[in-house]
Amino acid sequence: MRFFYILICVVFVTITNAQNELNSNLSAKVDQLNNEIITYKSSGELNLAASALNKLAYLYWNNNNTDEALKCFLQSATINEKLKNHNGKKFLYDNIAILYSDKQNCEKAQEYFIRSLKIVQSQGNKKVEIKSLVNLAVSYTECDNSKEAISYLNKALIIAKVLNDLKLIRNIYGQLAENYEINGDSQKSMEAFNFFSTFDKYVRDLEQKDKDQAHNQHISELANKTKHAEDVASEKQKALDNSIIQLKQTSDSLLLVEKMNEQQQEKLKAQERALIEKEARIKLANRFRNTIIFSLIILLSILILLYRQFTQKKKVNALLLEQNETLKQQKNKIEKHKDELEQINYQLNLKNIQILDSITYAKKIQDAILPYEKTIREKIPNFFIFYKPRDIVSGDFYWYSEKNGKHFIAAVDCTGHGVPGAFMSMIGNTLLNEIVNEKNIDKPSEILKRLNDGIVKILNQNKTKKDIQGDGMDISLC
């Protein structure tokens, strides 16, 4: 145990020393930048002063000191306003707005986002204007003003449609769906979400098409390289064949010349045999030797040419085999990937069918527990039921019972929708039947109290207030 305490102390001292070293380095950088800012301002070099302020702001920002970062950006913005540097002002206004958003100061964040938007609009860059409008809309969304967010998103959508930028259109529809939902307009939220889904699928298809086109282009380039290599090899083979033919023609010419020389020599021998017989033999020997040497040189040259051609052809064939193997591997990978995708798609479809069948059967069970309209109409002629489950099964239900001459009617909205909501509706229906029909309780306040206790007990929510979840239901009981 004593050793453990010593170890903790050592680790603590090490961490403290490292932190002190980090703080020392940060302090040194801050002092250096502050000195540069003072120097540049005093010498009238405002551009360099603004640049140093931006570096200092990012240094503070990266070390989670947003207040000092904000001060530096504001000072830099003032300098850029004097210099009429519109691009610099736009960049700084965006950063200032983001910092105010981090500090939950919605009014200031929106003020600087609007300043940035005005600069972009004056420059006429529509794509950047869309991004500025979206930034402003996000700020309003974070500040619980979805109505203003929708207004700016619709302005951005109009420009994005003019530019035909499908990705921006998709993203804007996604944010519109979110804000319409927050604003309580479910119909427009669903319309925006449907547009988002359509554009998302189309953009994904285009991206996949681009990938396929790039892959096909790569395969085509490999095929062209292969054909070029084959053409080069063919040209070299033709050149080699021509060389062999020329060498053969040269050899034939030499033989013809040699034959003519022999004939001439025989004439000379006949005329001067007695005088130059010995000289003729020597010349014949020398000529034979030279012929052998020349023939050997020609043969060696041919062998060298053949060897070079064979080596080059071997290299070309090896390159072709390597490229063919690469193409084969890529083809196998593509086919394997395709098979995997088909298998995954099949499994997803199978799971989807199984889940849909289960939910559909659950709907039959849920419909069976709801009271018959005929039973209600016999006791209460003038009534109607508006019941439209969102996801096949519903988290809402209606309930009716008659006990001891009294009629009980309830409309209930359970937490969640779909399958989770359906489970809650089953619990609520069962508890209401138990409280009214079995325990004969007819006082509404007591019924609701018993219902609340039952739900808490069933959902195991009776531990502590901290552990209680938001699961339950809203009910109107008559």
Side-chain angles (χ1 to χ4, degrees):
M1 182 63 73
R2 182 177 180 183
F3 173 76
F4 179 71
Y5 288 139
I6 295 172
L7 180 62
I8 290 175
C9 292
V10 171
V11 171
F12 178 76
V13 170
T14 303
I15 293 173
T16 303
N17 290 337
Q19 187 65 39
N20 290 335
E21 183 178 355
L22 181 63
N23 291 335
S24 176
N25 291 335
L26 177 61
S27 179
K29 290 180 181 178
V30 169
D31 291 340
Q32 178 184 348
L33 287 170
N34 277 322
N35 290 332
E36 289 180 6
I37 293 165
I38 293 169
T39 302
Y40 291 142
K41 282 184 177 180
S42 61
S43 61
E45 297 177 285
L46 297 181
N47 277 323
L48 295 176
S51 177
L53 279 166
N54 293 338
K55 291 179 183 178
L56 183 58
Y58 278 118
L59 185 62
Y60 281 129
W61 198 350
N62 291 332
N63 287 276
N64 300 318
N65 192 342
T66 55
D67 290 335
E68 291 299 325
L70 186 58
K71 290 178 183 178
C72 292
F73 278 136
L74 287 169
Q75 290 180 42
S76 179
T78 302
I79 294 173
N80 279 275
E81 286 167 0
K82 291 180 180 178
L83 296 173
K84 296 183 179 180
N85 181 2
H86 298 299
N87 289 329
K89 287 193 294 182
K90 192 263 178 197
F91 162 78
L92 289 164
Y93 290 159
D94 285 337
N95 284 337
I96 292 168
I98 293 169
L99 285 170
Y100 274 126
S101 294
D102 292 342
K103 293 169 68 66
Q104 305 297 318
N105 191 335
C106 296
E107 184 177 349
K108 281 290 185 181
Q110 290 153 13
E111 174 190 340
Y112 278 93
F113 273 133
I114 290 172
R115 288 190 185 186
S116 174
L117 175 61
K118 288 180 179 178
I119 292 174
V120 174
Q121 289 173 336
S122 67
Q123 293 174 336
N125 190 331
K126 294 299 182 183
K127 199 159 189 176
V128 179
E129 183 178 350
I130 293 172
K131 294 180 180 179
S132 295
L133 288 167
V134 171
N135 286 340
L136 193 53
V138 170
S139 176
Y140 277 110
T141 302
E142 291 176 349
C143 296
D144 298 327
N145 192 345
S146 57
K147 186 176 180 181
E148 284 295 325
I150 291 169
S151 173
Y152 282 105
L153 285 171
N154 281 322
K155 292 177 182 178
L157 182 61
I158 292 171
I159 302 173
K161 286 181 178 179
V162 172
L163 296 179
N164 197 28
D165 193 319
L166 302 181
K167 289 185 179 180
L168 285 175
I169 293 172
R170 174 193 63 181
N171 296 339
I172 293 169
Y173 271 125
Q175 293 191 41
L176 278 171
E178 178 185 352
N179 280 280
Y180 277 128
E181 183 68 24
I182 295 171
N183 205 35
D185 195 337
S186 299
Q187 182 178 354
K188 287 188 177 180
S189 175
M190 183 57 68
E191 290 175 0
F193 181 76
N194 289 335
F195 278 119
F196 167 80
S197 300
T198 301
F199 279 98
D200 184 61
K201 183 179 183 302
Y202 186 71
V203 169
R204 289 177 185 273
D205 290 343
L206 285 180
E207 290 174 348
Q208 185 62 43
K209 185 177 179 182
D210 291 340
K211 290 180 182 177
D212 294 340
Q213 186 176 359
H215 178 71
N216 292 333
Q217 184 177 356
H218 178 64
I219 292 176
S220 177
E221 289 174 356
L222 288 176
N224 290 335
K225 289 179 181 178
T226 302
K227 186 176 182 304
H228 177 69
E230 290 175 349
D231 293 341
V232 170
S234 177
E235 290 295 329
K236 290 183 177 179
Q237 185 63 42
K238 288 179 181 179
L240 178 60
D241 294 340
N242 291 332
S243 298
I244 293 172
I245 292 170
Q246 291 175 0
L247 287 171
K248 188 174 183 302
Q249 291 174 351
T250 303
S251 179
D252 292 340
S253 299
L254 289 172
L255 290 173
L256 180 61
V257 171
E258 183 181 358
K259 186 175 181 180
M260 291 175 66
N261 287 335
E262 287 177 352
Q263 291 174 354
Q264 184 68 28
Q265 186 66 29
E266 287 176 358
K267 289 180 182 180
L268 291 173
K269 284 181 181 180
Q271 294 175 3
E272 301 177 0
R273 189 180 297 274
L275 298 174
I276 56 173
E277 184 177 1
K278 185 176 180 179
E279 184 180 355
R281 287 197 296 268
I282 294 171
K283 288 182 178 179
L284 182 62
N286 289 336
R287 189 179 295 110
F288 180 77
R289 181 193 64 190
N290 293 335
T291 303
I292 293 297
I293 293 172
F294 184 71
S295 299
L296 288 173
I297 292 172
I298 293 174
L299 181 61
L300 183 62
S301 299
I302 293 172
L303 290 174
I304 291 171
L305 286 172
L306 290 172
Y307 178 76
R308 286 183 178 177
Q309 293 296 328
F310 174 78
T311 304
Q312 290 177 353
K313 190 172 182 180
K314 188 176 179 181
K315 289 181 179 178
V316 170
N317 289 334
L319 178 62
L320 290 174
L321 287 173
E322 182 180 355
Q323 291 176 345
N324 289 333
E325 184 63 24
T326 302
L327 290 173
K328 185 177 179 181
Q329 291 176 358
Q330 290 179 347
K331 183 180 178 182
N332 290 336
K333 287 181 180 179
I334 292 171
E335 291 177 352
K336 183 178 179 182
H337 186 58
K338 180 181 178 183
D339 292 338
E340 290 174 352
L341 289 176
E342 289 177 352
Q343 182 63 26
I344 292 171
N345 188 46
Y346 172 76
Q347 294 294 333
L348 289 174
N349 288 334
L350 183 62
K351 291 290 184 183
N352 186 50
I353 292 170
Q354 292 173 348
I355 292 170
L356 189 61
D357 289 342
S358 298
I359 296 175
T360 303
Y361 188 76
K363 181 181 185 304
K364 294 179 180 179
I365 296 173
Q366 190 177 39
D367 290 344
I369 69 169
L370 295 173
Y372 293 109
E373 292 187 29
K374 183 179 179 181
T375 304
I376 305 174
R377 197 171 297 282
E378 289 176 354
K379 305 298 181 181
I380 308 172
N382 296 321
F383 84 101
F384 70 94
I385 296 173
F386 183 81
Y387 178 69
K388 287 189 176 182
R390 194 181 102 173
D391 298 320
I392 302 177
V393 292
S394 176
D396 306 328
F397 71 96
Y398 57 93
W399 176 81
Y400 170 80
S401 179
E402 180 188 2
K403 191 73 174 179
N404 300 327
K406 294 181 178 180
H407 304 283
F408 301 86
I409 298 175
V412 189
D413 178 7
C414 298
T415 301
H417 50 79
V419 174
F423 275 110
M424 289 298 299
S425 68
M426 297 286 286
I427 294 171
N429 190 287
T430 302
L431 288 173
L432 285 170
N433 285 326
E434 178 185 340
I435 294 166
V436 175
N437 297 329
E438 295 179 14
K439 296 184 179 180
N440 294 324
I441 296 171
D442 57 3
K443 188 176 180 182
S445 60
E446 183 63 22
I447 293 172
L448 293 177
K449 182 179 181 304
R450 294 288 186 97
L451 178 62
N452 183 68
D453 293 342
I455 289 173
V456 170
K457 182 178 180 181
I458 290 173
L459 297 181
N460 198 24
Q461 294 182 349
N462 57 349
K463 295 179 180 178
T464 64
K465 289 183 179 180
K466 182 179 179 182
D467 296 328
I468 294 178
Q469 303 174 358
D471 300 325
M473 57 191 70
D474 296 330
I475 177 170
S476 295
L477 176 64
C478 183

